[in-house]
Structures are given as structure tokens and as C-alpha cells.
Amino acid sequence: MVEFKANQPRWRQVYEIIKTRIASGEYKPGERIPSLIALIEEFGIANATGQKVMRALRADGLIHTEPGMGSFVTAPEERDQSDSPTREERGSDGEPR
């Protein structure tokens, strides 16, 4: 299990880990990422925290979710065309609205 930093929200730390896995190619474009339940189990986080992670990944265009199928890594060329809100369109805490 990950050891979290006390001075940063857990959802943001998990978000950065998943973002790094996407950038490194560990999770490839079109590939399904771990489910919310899998994130909760892997990182020992609450359901609401896991949901914030998924919302932030979607908001940044890193993933897209297909109902009943899961969440998938968005291809880099699709990220540029995303209608997702940018960081500037989020709340002051960085959380997607």
C-alpha cells in the first residue's frame, strides 16, 4: 500500500500515481484502467476519494468511461479534442465541478 503524504489530499496523490502510469505507458491508450473498487483496494482509500480520482482523470481527458464497461485510457490525440473542463474551469481546490 502507498504511504500518503500528510500535506496533500489523498485523492490528488492517487490521481498523480494513475496519471504517471498512463504517461509511462503502463496503462496504454484504449486499455481499461482499474475499477473504482480496485483503486479502493489498492490504495486503501474511501469510495468518495476514489470517485474524486476518477472525476479528475476524466476532467483532464486522461480517461473516458463507458457505462457498464469501465474506464479506458484516452489516446493522446483524443485528449486535445476533449470537451473536459480544464484546470482553470475547476474549483479553487482543483477538484472537478
Side-chain angles (χ1 to χ4, degrees), residues 8-81:
Q8 188 178 20
R10 285 185 178 194
W11 75 266
R12 197 169 288 165
Q13 293 177 65
V14 175
Y15 165 86
E16 289 297 331
I17 292 168
I18 302 301
K19 181 179 173 183
T20 299
R21 290 177 182 177
I22 291 170
S24 72
E26 184 176 340
Y27 300 150
K28 296 170 180 44
E31 185 176 290
R32 187 172 176 215
I33 67 164
S35 68
L36 177 61
I37 293 169
L39 288 180
I40 290 167
E41 291 174 358
E42 178 180 353
F43 295 102
I45 56 176
N47 187 306
T49 303
Q51 289 177 4
K52 280 186 182 182
V53 172
M54 299 299 261
R55 271 197 310 268
L57 291 167
R58 273 193 300 275
D60 280 349
L62 296 172
I63 65 168
H64 63 278
T65 302
E66 298 291 332
M69 295 183 66
S71 296
F72 300 85
V73 177
T74 305
E77 57 272 10
E78 293 173 347
R79 292 177 201 154
D80 297 334
Q81 300 169 0

